[in-house]
Amino acid sequence: MGNTFSALERVKLRSVVAQLFGDCASGFVFPIKYKYIVEESTAPGVAVLFSVPKRLHKRANRRNLLRRRMRESYRLSKEALRDVAESRGLAIKIAFIYVSKEELTYKAIDDAIVNILAEIQAGC
């Protein structure tokens, strides 16, 4: 699959979104809050969701920019977590929520995403 970000890797079902925003494991690495679920599954893999609240960033172009930065960082860093999930037969679902009021650089977002993926991988 390489570094692509296919539709299979996105969280789309309302039930899964409700599960993620309900009671599940979570953490915070500035500027991103994350929530995740790890389950044993016959179809192992990683699925993600990216969110930038409208209440923090009123302009759609800013929300889109921040989501694009998070997606790109995840896309380039996902290999290790995906390999762990597939080797152990786990289905991992992650929600990344951007919580800073400032628009940070790609480098700051990338550092946070890499740290989050390392923490989730250590917890599996």
Side-chain angles (χ1 to χ4, degrees):
M1 252 163 75
N3 284 336
T4 62
F5 187 60
S6 68
L8 296 174
E9 296 177 84
R10 300 172 196 255
V11 172
K12 294 184 246 176
L13 296 175
R14 280 185 187 252
S15 60
V16 176
V17 173
Q19 214 178 4
L20 278 169
F21 285 95
D23 190 29
C24 65
S26 65
F28 178 74
V29 175
F30 183 80
I32 299 170
K33 179 179 178 182
Y34 63 97
K35 294 177 157 255
Y36 66 98
I37 300 168
V38 178
E39 306 169 324
E40 290 190 17
S41 176
T42 57
V46 181
V48 295
L49 169 119
F50 300 94
S51 175
V52 179
K54 188 174 184 179
R55 124 184 111 84
L56 296 178
H57 297 278
K58 303 293 185 194
R59 306 285 303 211
N61 61 341
R62 292 291 165 217
R63 291 193 305 273
N64 292 337
L65 173 72
L66 294 169
R67 261 194 305 272
R68 278 196 308 268
R69 287 179 179 171
M70 287 193 294
R71 267 196 314 261
E72 181 67 6
S73 176
Y74 170 77
R75 184 184 71 83
L76 295 173
S77 308
K78 68 182 178 179
E79 290 298 321
L81 184 62
R82 190 178 69 189
D83 292 342
V84 167
E86 289 176 359
S87 67
R88 296 182 185 171
L90 300 173
I92 303 172
K93 296 169 184 81
I94 310 169
F96 295 101
I97 304 122
Y98 190 89
V99 295
S100 176
K101 290 183 180 179
E102 295 91 32
E103 177 188 323
L104 296 177
T105 63
Y106 171 79
K107 179 67 177 143
I109 293 171
D110 184 47
D111 291 343
I113 295 282
V114 168
N115 290 338
I116 289 168
L117 295 177
E119 286 179 18
I120 293 172
Q121 186 176 350
C124 290

